[in-house]
Amino acid sequence: MSLRALDDFLPVYEFSERHALAIDAPAARIDHAVRSVSMSDLPVARTLWWLRRLGRPYGDSSKPFVGGELPGVVLDDVRGEGIVLGITGQFWRILGARRDAARPTSAEGFLAYDRPDTCKAVIDFRVGSGRLSTETRVHVADPASRRKFRRYWLVIRPFSGLIRILLLRAARRRAEADA
């Protein structure tokens, strides 16, 4: 079984971001490393989340971030290859990802989700031999909501990218230290 492509979950999107880095370790060790990174390993990211949440802490900073504290639903998960997560919400709102009572709780629910005024996003962490990558895609069907998200994205994208880069680097440190 192989990790499914992001196109299987979100083929149409208006916003995206990709990051990757080389890691001197086998795929299984890279996969374990990315799944074990917690917010306590990412002090800058923890501060950015704190600011985003207006001073409210984000969950348990000792729990793994990928597949744990990162909000959303697991869409696909193949050990040694990576994980795909899905999240919905009006991200431009302070608690936008948490206010949606109809938020999907399964891959099937995510695929069927169709609120046009809400973002639908996928995030993956893909593992290859000597490589770890992440891609984020966001689709917003409603034009008015898309404009709101675009303004939010202009502000948040550099910080979102920084968090992803820091997470990939922390995973590399863990994977290479376990050698």
Side-chain angles (χ1 to χ4, degrees):
M1 181 164 79
S2 290
L3 192 65
R4 292 171 59 187
L6 285 184
D7 282 344
D8 291 349
F9 302 105
L10 196 65
V12 176
Y13 56 96
E14 296 80 26
F15 308 92
S16 68
E17 182 174 4
R18 294 180 183 94
H19 301 279
L21 54 75
I23 299 178
D24 187 18
R29 200 161 59 220
I30 296 169
D31 185 69
H32 176 72
V34 74
R35 293 169 189 268
S36 63
V37 173
S38 68
M39 280 296 229
S40 61
D41 297 316
L42 309 169
V44 171
R46 192 172 56 238
T47 300
L48 290 171
W49 276 106
W50 183 84
L51 290 170
R52 166 67 174 91
R53 295 179 47 82
L54 299 176
R56 291 185 308 279
Y58 186 82
D60 183 346
S61 64
S62 66
K63 287 185 180 177
F65 190 60
V66 175
E69 284 298 295
L70 189 64
V73 60
V74 175
L75 301 176
D76 198 15
D77 187 353
V78 178
R79 293 291 173 166
E81 291 187 28
I83 188 169
V84 180
L85 306 168
I87 185 171
T88 60
Q90 294 178 327
F91 305 142
W92 58 90
R93 299 179 66 168
I94 295 298
L95 297 176
R98 301 212 185 269
R99 288 191 180 168
D100 185 4
R103 176 174 78 218
T105 58
S106 68
E108 296 76 21
F110 181 84
L111 290 169
Y113 189 85
D114 67 350
R115 275 191 55 189
D117 66 333
T118 302
C119 298
K120 196 171 179 180
V122 291
I123 303 166
D124 74 356
F125 293 89
R126 289 189 186 268
V127 176
S129 182
R131 179 178 166 84
L132 176 60
S133 67
T134 181
E135 182 176 353
T136 302
R137 294 180 177 180
V138 181
H139 172 62
V140 191
D142 173 62
S145 296
R146 189 177 313 126
R147 284 189 298 276
K148 290 176 187 175
F149 181 78
R150 181 174 285 116
R151 288 189 298 267
Y152 168 79
W153 187 246
L154 286 171
V155 172
I156 209 74
R157 183 177 184 191
F159 303 107
S160 172
L162 177 60
I163 290 170
R164 306 273 190 299
I165 290 166
L166 293 172
L167 194 146
L168 295 179
R169 288 178 181 170
R172 178 174 55 194
R173 282 191 303 275
R174 281 182 182 256
E176 290 178 351
D178 289 343

